[in-house]
Amino acid sequence: MNYDIKDDKLAVDGELRIEWANQSMPVLNRIKERFKTEKPLAGVSVAACLHVTTETASLMQTLQAGGANVWLCASNPLSTQDDVAAALVVNHKMPVFAIKGEDNKTYYKHINAVLDPMPQYTMDDGADLVSTLHSERTDLMKNVIGGTEETTTGIIRLKSMAKDGILKYPIIAVNDAQTKHFFDNRYGTGQSTIDGIIRATNRLLAGSFFVVCGYGWCGRGLAMRARGMGANVIVTEINPLPALEAVMDGFTVMPIGDAAKIGDFFCTVTGNINVIRKEHIETMKSGAILSNSGHFNVELDLEGLNNISASKRTIRPFVEEYKLKNGKLINVLGEGRLINLAAAEGHPSSVMDMSFANQALSLEYLVKNKGKLKPDVYTVPQDIDKAIAKEKLKAMGIEIDVLTPDQAKYLASWDMGT
Ligand code: ADE
């Protein structure tokens, strides 16, 4: 079996951590048990480009249980957990191509490696796999039947491909499921981003000024958790609606140009480029800490920062200290890459449980509906989304009410007023 990982000997540690994660993934485990008997993915080949974490390992095992052959690579050069990659290769005979800290060339070599076996389905996080397939590997397109996409950024890319008429096969936007973005983006990003910043810096958040750039689902979660740690949270936005929501959620809202002068911590979660630029960095307090939790490492203008810097050094793991020409010290965490996966372990398992249940069930849906969907971006079918919420509540031991017959009739009627 062909594979490329850091070290096979890490498999023992990886396996234990996968087992730990599995204990908090009841919904995915139920799907895995059903897949084992029903084999809905029998003989199906899947190229997966995901963060190689303990949670992803559980998803990969679920697909294997369903009968799929899976090739896995990383969706970010810094997010791979090398022990997990080793456990998948050694114990689960899965071809994995991912090494934490791989350079850009290796990152794309690994993407190409999972495409080489001519997959029928793609499972992507950020759309690098799909865009490589549509640009450099068009020869493989005839085998591809469908795909899924995990994240906001990937879906934006795919929708623009669909709009330009370039997208060649149907892709399910897992992120658009309510059981994904309401929970993973908000509570997952909220907790794991704070976790990454703290693990990297060991600095106190209480009493600090914490600037959150972007108030989408990820920004909402991050702002909420930073406030919970006692920080004074400032939100920056470009869209009046979420900006207004942030104001009414009790946060201070102002342009990044103003926030730059106040913040101790900055974290971008916008999905856009050059959100914090050199003109902002120059006005920051010495010692400011910059990080990103958006999908790509484009939100901090690192090139601009380099241009205004006299020197830089790694002061501790995941902390690059830049000395500006104006004498100030500015710290960048995790090379501006997803700090929750670079310096921590990504979202906790119990939230990935729902995200990856959506992945597994969306793939099953694509296999069942082979040939019926035109090339486009689709939302996760509502019955799947609802079934996942129901199953999660059940696993948590939480019961809810059911409509009485007269309540159901009332909701369906238009003539019953006061
Ligand atoms: N994205 C964010 N957190 C993740 C995790 N724990 N595993 C896979 N993908 C993720």
Side-chain angles (χ1 to χ4, degrees):
M1 182 177 86
N2 204 7
Y3 64 90
D4 191 18
I5 58 170
K6 185 169 179 209
D7 184 357
D8 295 23
K9 291 194 282 302
L10 299 172
V12 177
D13 289 347
E15 195 61 39
L16 286 172
R17 292 202 317 108
I18 294 169
E19 205 181 307
W20 176 253
N22 251 320
Q23 291 175 12
S24 301
M25 304 186 82
V27 180
L28 193 62
N29 282 326
R30 285 277 314 246
I31 296 168
K32 193 191 294 170
E33 288 312 308
R34 177 170 68 76
F35 276 15
K36 266 185 201 161
T37 51
E38 293 179 10
K39 299 282 176 207
L41 311 179
V44 155
S45 58
V46 184
C49 178
L50 301 166
H51 302 298
V52 180
T53 65
T54 50
E55 293 75 24
T56 296
S58 296
L59 172 62
M60 296 298 101
Q61 286 168 30
T62 305
L63 305 188
Q64 276 185 329
N69 297 310
V70 190
W71 288 262
L72 174 65
C73 70
S75 57
N76 186 296
L78 264 192
S79 62
T80 298
Q81 297 171 4
D82 290 313
D83 56 347
V84 170
L88 283 172
V89 167
V90 174
N91 302 338
H92 304 277
K93 309 290 166 244
M94 180 171 293
V96 180
F97 301 83
I99 299 171
K100 187 172 176 111
E102 63 196 13
D103 59 18
N104 238 37
K105 198 166 150 231
T106 312
Y107 174 74
Y108 280 100
K109 191 180 92 186
H110 286 162
I111 285 183
N112 276 289
V114 303
L115 289 174
D116 285 340
M118 306 205 292
Q120 296 166 304
Y121 294 89
T122 58
M123 188 170 273
D124 212 350
D125 185 342
D128 279 345
L129 180 68
V130 174
S131 82
T132 303
L133 188 55
H134 281 73
S135 51
E136 288 150 42
R137 303 300 303 270
T138 49
D139 53 309
L140 304 177
M141 202 66 83
K142 56 183 179 306
N143 295 295
V144 184
I145 301 166
T148 61
E149 167 55 51
E150 171 78 4
T151 198
T152 320
T153 296
I155 291 167
I156 292 170
R157 292 177 86 186
L158 295 175
K159 285 193 174 157
S160 88
M161 287 171 79
K163 190 164 149 270
D164 290 350
I166 291 168
L167 190 68
K168 290 280 185 286
Y169 59 91
I171 299 195
I172 297 190
V174 166
N175 190 70
D176 289 351
Q178 294 190 353
T179 46
K180 201 280 184 180
H181 67 265
F182 281 1
F183 303 93
D184 168 316
N185 300 30
R186 183 167 35 171
Y187 304 110
T189 306
Q191 177 166 325
S192 62
T193 302
I194 296 287
D195 186 13
I197 291 171
I198 292 175
R199 286 199 210 190
T201 65
N202 194 29
R203 287 275 169 86
L204 185 72
L205 297 187
S208 71
F209 285 88
F210 193 113
V211 180
V212 176
C213 300
Y215 204 65
W217 287 105
C218 296
R220 288 178 180 113
L222 177 56
M224 173 171 68
R225 291 297 175 245
R227 174 154 67 190
M229 294 295 285
N232 301 288
V233 179
I234 297 170
V235 171
T236 73
E237 249 302 335
I238 45 94
N239 186 334
L241 265 168
L244 191 58
E245 192 183 345
V247 171
M248 298 219 181
D249 284 345
F251 297 110
T252 306
V253 175
M254 63 177 75
I256 182 63
D258 296 334
K261 302 179 193 108
I262 303 170
D264 300 297
F265 295 90
F266 294 82
C267 188
T268 49
V269 266
T270 70
N272 211 336
I273 58 165
N274 297 335
V275 176
I276 298 184
R277 300 181 289 278
K278 65 174 192 284
E279 63 267 29
H280 307 133
I281 297 171
E282 268 170 335
T283 68
M284 284 178 184
K285 296 193 272 195
S286 187
I289 294 172
L290 275 54
S291 60
N292 165 56
S293 213
H295 187 81
F296 287 120
N297 59 334
V298 295
E299 307 207 13
L300 306 175
D301 175 17
L302 294 181
E303 202 183 315
L305 172 58
N306 258 316
N307 292 340
I308 57 169
S309 296
S311 61
K312 70 171 177 178
R313 60 175 177 160
T314 304
I315 188 159
R316 48 187 271 140
F318 304 111
V319 185
E320 210 73 22
E321 181 197 67
Y322 289 74
K323 184 160 194 192
L324 305 194
K325 289 174 188 160
N326 68 14
K328 292 180 186 178
L329 298 176
I330 299 292
N331 301 294
V332 174
L333 307 187
E335 301 169 17
R337 298 190 189 276
L338 282 162
I339 192 58
N340 60 338
L341 282 140
E345 294 167 73
H347 304 350
S349 323
S350 66
V351 87
M352 294 311 294
D353 188 27
M354 288 189 281
S355 310
F356 284 169
N358 275 292
Q359 284 284 8
L361 296 182
S362 294
L363 182 62
E364 181 185 33
Y365 175 84
L366 282 168
V367 172
K368 271 192 190 148
N369 289 281
K370 180 179 164 184
K372 293 192 196 145
L373 302 168
K374 311 193 296 307
D376 208 345
V377 182
Y378 293 85
T379 41
V380 174
Q382 268 214 352
D383 54 334
I384 291 183
D385 206 355
K386 218 167 171 184
I388 291 171
K390 212 168 151 189
E391 197 61 40
K392 188 72 176 172
L393 281 171
K394 194 170 150 202
M396 294 167 93
I398 294 166
E399 289 178 20
I400 59 170
D401 291 319
V402 286
L403 288 175
T404 62
D406 63 323
Q407 284 173 335
K409 193 169 159 215
Y410 180 80
L411 288 180
S413 72
W414 54 270
D415 55 345
M416 284 195 255
T418 311

mmCIF file of all heavy atoms in Angstrom, residues 109-130:
data_model
loop_
_atom_site.group_PDB
_atom_site.id
_atom_site.type_symbol
_atom_site.label_atom_id
_atom_site.label_comp_id
_atom_site.label_asym_id
_atom_site.label_seq_id
_atom_site.Cartn_x
_atom_site.Cartn_y
_atom_site.Cartn_z
ATOM 1 N N LYS A 109 1.278 17.553 -3.679
ATOM 2 C CA LYS A 109 1.677 16.192 -4.091
ATOM 3 C C LYS A 109 0.730 15.182 -3.422
ATOM 4 O O LYS A 109 0.284 14.217 -4.037
ATOM 5 C CB LYS A 109 3.141 15.946 -3.659
ATOM 6 C CG LYS A 109 3.739 14.696 -4.253
ATOM 7 C CD LYS A 109 5.167 14.494 -3.807
ATOM 8 C CE LYS A 109 5.203 13.643 -2.561
ATOM 9 N NZ LYS A 109 6.471 13.451 -1.923
ATOM 10 N N HIS A 110 0.406 15.445 -2.164
ATOM 11 C CA HIS A 110 -0.486 14.542 -1.430
ATOM 12 C C HIS A 110 -1.916 14.597 -1.974
ATOM 13 O O HIS A 110 -2.602 13.570 -2.043
ATOM 14 C CB HIS A 110 -0.451 14.881 0.064
ATOM 15 C CG HIS A 110 0.817 14.427 0.730
ATOM 16 N ND1 HIS A 110 1.250 14.919 1.939
ATOM 17 C CD2 HIS A 110 1.745 13.507 0.341
ATOM 18 C CE1 HIS A 110 2.383 14.312 2.280
ATOM 19 N NE2 HIS A 110 2.715 13.463 1.314
ATOM 20 N N ILE A 111 -2.347 15.784 -2.370
ATOM 21 C CA ILE A 111 -3.686 15.885 -2.979
ATOM 22 C C ILE A 111 -3.709 15.064 -4.266
ATOM 23 O O ILE A 111 -4.644 14.300 -4.525
ATOM 24 C CB ILE A 111 -4.060 17.374 -3.239
ATOM 25 C CG1 ILE A 111 -4.419 18.042 -1.902
ATOM 26 C CG2 ILE A 111 -5.205 17.488 -4.241
ATOM 27 C CD1 ILE A 111 -4.878 19.474 -2.004
ATOM 28 N N ASN A 112 -2.656 15.188 -5.036
ATOM 29 C CA ASN A 112 -2.583 14.411 -6.282
ATOM 30 C C ASN A 112 -2.525 12.916 -6.006
ATOM 31 O O ASN A 112 -3.080 12.114 -6.757
ATOM 32 C CB ASN A 112 -1.398 14.871 -7.122
ATOM 33 C CG ASN A 112 -1.764 16.081 -7.957
ATOM 34 O OD1 ASN A 112 -2.526 15.974 -8.914
ATOM 35 N ND2 ASN A 112 -1.270 17.249 -7.588
ATOM 36 N N ALA A 113 -1.878 12.553 -4.904
ATOM 37 C CA ALA A 113 -1.754 11.121 -4.572
ATOM 38 C C ALA A 113 -3.121 10.493 -4.292
ATOM 39 O O ALA A 113 -3.349 9.333 -4.627
ATOM 40 C CB ALA A 113 -0.825 10.941 -3.369
ATOM 41 N N VAL A 114 -4.036 11.249 -3.670
ATOM 42 C CA VAL A 114 -5.361 10.651 -3.409
ATOM 43 C C VAL A 114 -6.244 10.691 -4.649
ATOM 44 O O VAL A 114 -7.264 9.992 -4.718
ATOM 45 C CB VAL A 114 -6.095 11.287 -2.180
ATOM 46 C CG1 VAL A 114 -5.257 11.175 -0.922
ATOM 47 C CG2 VAL A 114 -6.527 12.721 -2.437
ATOM 48 N N LEU A 115 -5.844 11.500 -5.629
ATOM 49 C CA LEU A 115 -6.606 11.518 -6.888
ATOM 50 C C LEU A 115 -6.136 10.428 -7.850
ATOM 51 O O LEU A 115 -6.920 9.945 -8.677
ATOM 52 C CB LEU A 115 -6.469 12.893 -7.557
ATOM 53 C CG LEU A 115 -7.214 14.045 -6.872
ATOM 54 C CD1 LEU A 115 -6.878 15.378 -7.541
ATOM 55 C CD2 LEU A 115 -8.722 13.824 -6.878
ATOM 56 N N ASP A 116 -4.870 10.042 -7.710
ATOM 57 C CA ASP A 116 -4.306 9.038 -8.631
ATOM 58 C C ASP A 116 -5.152 7.773 -8.772
ATOM 59 O O ASP A 116 -5.289 7.241 -9.876
ATOM 60 C CB ASP A 116 -2.870 8.655 -8.193
ATOM 61 C CG ASP A 116 -1.861 9.748 -8.535
ATOM 62 O OD1 ASP A 116 -2.165 10.579 -9.419
ATOM 63 O OD2 ASP A 116 -0.776 9.778 -7.910
ATOM 64 N N PRO A 117 -5.742 7.240 -7.668
ATOM 65 C CA PRO A 117 -6.533 6.010 -7.818
ATOM 66 C C PRO A 117 -7.873 6.202 -8.546
ATOM 67 O O PRO A 117 -8.687 5.276 -8.582
ATOM 68 C CB PRO A 117 -6.771 5.562 -6.368
ATOM 69 C CG PRO A 117 -5.824 6.337 -5.535
ATOM 70 C CD PRO A 117 -5.581 7.618 -6.247
ATOM 71 N N MET A 118 -8.100 7.365 -9.111
ATOM 72 C CA MET A 118 -9.311 7.659 -9.877
ATOM 73 C C MET A 118 -10.595 7.474 -9.057
ATOM 74 O O MET A 118 -11.407 6.576 -9.327
ATOM 75 C CB MET A 118 -9.356 6.793 -11.141
ATOM 76 C CG MET A 118 -8.107 6.931 -11.975
ATOM 77 S SD MET A 118 -8.320 6.561 -13.691
ATOM 78 C CE MET A 118 -8.621 4.834 -13.644
ATOM 79 N N PRO A 119 -10.774 8.321 -8.033
ATOM 80 C CA PRO A 119 -11.930 8.169 -7.145
ATOM 81 C C PRO A 119 -13.260 8.475 -7.838
ATOM 82 O O PRO A 119 -13.301 9.241 -8.794
ATOM 83 C CB PRO A 119 -11.659 9.213 -6.058
ATOM 84 C CG PRO A 119 -10.844 10.258 -6.747
ATOM 85 C CD PRO A 119 -9.968 9.504 -7.711
ATOM 86 N N GLN A 120 -14.323 7.870 -7.270
ATOM 87 C CA GLN A 120 -15.677 8.165 -7.775
ATOM 88 C C GLN A 120 -16.303 9.324 -6.997
ATOM 89 O O GLN A 120 -17.196 9.991 -7.481
ATOM 90 C CB GLN A 120 -16.565 6.939 -7.607
ATOM 91 C CG GLN A 120 -16.113 5.747 -8.431
ATOM 92 C CD GLN A 120 -16.807 4.492 -7.964
ATOM 93 O OE1 GLN A 120 -16.742 4.116 -6.793
ATOM 94 N NE2 GLN A 120 -17.493 3.846 -8.884
ATOM 95 N N TYR A 121 -15.841 9.491 -5.762
ATOM 96 C CA TYR A 121 -16.410 10.536 -4.908
ATOM 97 C C TYR A 121 -15.280 11.340 -4.255
ATOM 98 O O TYR A 121 -14.221 10.781 -3.966
ATOM 99 C CB TYR A 121 -17.295 9.929 -3.807
ATOM 100 C CG TYR A 121 -18.525 9.267 -4.386
ATOM 101 C CD1 TYR A 121 -18.490 7.915 -4.774
ATOM 102 C CD2 TYR A 121 -19.703 9.986 -4.586
ATOM 103 C CE1 TYR A 121 -19.603 7.318 -5.348
ATOM 104 C CE2 TYR A 121 -20.816 9.389 -5.158
ATOM 105 C CZ TYR A 121 -20.760 8.055 -5.530
ATOM 106 O OH TYR A 121 -21.858 7.465 -6.107
ATOM 107 N N THR A 122 -15.539 12.639 -4.044
ATOM 108 C CA THR A 122 -14.568 13.458 -3.312
ATOM 109 C C THR A 122 -15.224 13.929 -2.013
ATOM 110 O O THR A 122 -16.425 14.186 -1.970
ATOM 111 C CB THR A 122 -14.135 14.692 -4.135
ATOM 112 O OG1 THR A 122 -15.285 15.484 -4.465
ATOM 113 C CG2 THR A 122 -13.406 14.290 -5.397
ATOM 114 N N MET A 123 -14.409 14.017 -0.976
ATOM 115 C CA MET A 123 -14.878 14.552 0.309
ATOM 116 C C MET A 123 -13.852 15.618 0.679
ATOM 117 O O MET A 123 -12.705 15.300 0.981
ATOM 118 C CB MET A 123 -14.916 13.411 1.327
ATOM 119 C CG MET A 123 -15.566 13.793 2.628
ATOM 120 S SD MET A 123 -15.850 12.335 3.678
ATOM 121 C CE MET A 123 -17.435 11.766 3.096
ATOM 122 N N ASP A 124 -14.262 16.868 0.603
ATOM 123 C CA ASP A 124 -13.289 17.965 0.647
ATOM 124 C C ASP A 124 -13.552 18.910 1.814
ATOM 125 O O ASP A 124 -14.677 18.984 2.326
ATOM 126 C CB ASP A 124 -13.402 18.744 -0.681
ATOM 127 C CG ASP A 124 -12.082 19.341 -1.120
ATOM 128 O OD1 ASP A 124 -11.129 19.334 -0.335
ATOM 129 O OD2 ASP A 124 -12.006 19.828 -2.268
ATOM 130 N N ASP A 125 -12.524 19.643 2.226
ATOM 131 C CA ASP A 125 -12.675 20.659 3.265
ATOM 132 C C ASP A 125 -11.869 21.877 2.818
ATOM 133 O O ASP A 125 -10.657 21.948 3.079
ATOM 134 C CB ASP A 125 -12.163 20.109 4.609
ATOM 135 C CG ASP A 125 -12.409 21.063 5.771
ATOM 136 O OD1 ASP A 125 -12.647 22.263 5.526
ATOM 137 O OD2 ASP A 125 -12.352 20.611 6.931
ATOM 138 N N GLY A 126 -12.529 22.774 2.102
ATOM 139 C CA GLY A 126 -11.845 23.976 1.610
ATOM 140 C C GLY A 126 -11.750 24.022 0.097
ATOM 141 O O GLY A 126 -11.336 25.025 -0.466
ATOM 142 N N ALA A 127 -12.066 22.895 -0.558
ATOM 143 C CA ALA A 127 -12.156 22.797 -2.029
ATOM 144 C C ALA A 127 -10.819 22.780 -2.764
ATOM 145 O O ALA A 127 -10.794 22.942 -3.982
ATOM 146 C CB ALA A 127 -13.082 23.872 -2.612
ATOM 147 N N ASP A 128 -9.710 22.523 -2.084
ATOM 148 C CA ASP A 128 -8.433 22.376 -2.802
ATOM 149 C C ASP A 128 -8.409 21.097 -3.647
ATOM 150 O O ASP A 128 -7.840 21.078 -4.745
ATOM 151 C CB ASP A 128 -7.255 22.352 -1.820
ATOM 152 C CG ASP A 128 -6.845 23.754 -1.371
ATOM 153 O OD1 ASP A 128 -7.270 24.735 -2.022
ATOM 154 O OD2 ASP A 128 -6.108 23.868 -0.376
ATOM 155 N N LEU A 129 -9.029 20.039 -3.133
ATOM 156 C CA LEU A 129 -9.082 18.770 -3.873
ATOM 157 C C LEU A 129 -9.906 18.959 -5.149
ATOM 158 O O LEU A 129 -9.470 18.602 -6.251
ATOM 159 C CB LEU A 129 -9.714 17.692 -2.975
ATOM 160 C CG LEU A 129 -9.858 16.297 -3.551
ATOM 161 C CD1 LEU A 129 -8.512 15.638 -3.744
ATOM 162 C CD2 LEU A 129 -10.722 15.426 -2.629
ATOM 163 N N VAL A 130 -11.081 19.564 -4.984
ATOM 164 C CA VAL A 130 -11.979 19.758 -6.131
ATOM 165 C C VAL A 130 -11.355 20.715 -7.141
ATOM 166 O O VAL A 130 -11.436 20.485 -8.352
ATOM 167 C CB VAL A 130 -13.360 20.276 -5.646
ATOM 168 C CG1 VAL A 130 -14.253 20.625 -6.827
ATOM 169 C CG2 VAL A 130 -14.030 19.227 -4.776
#
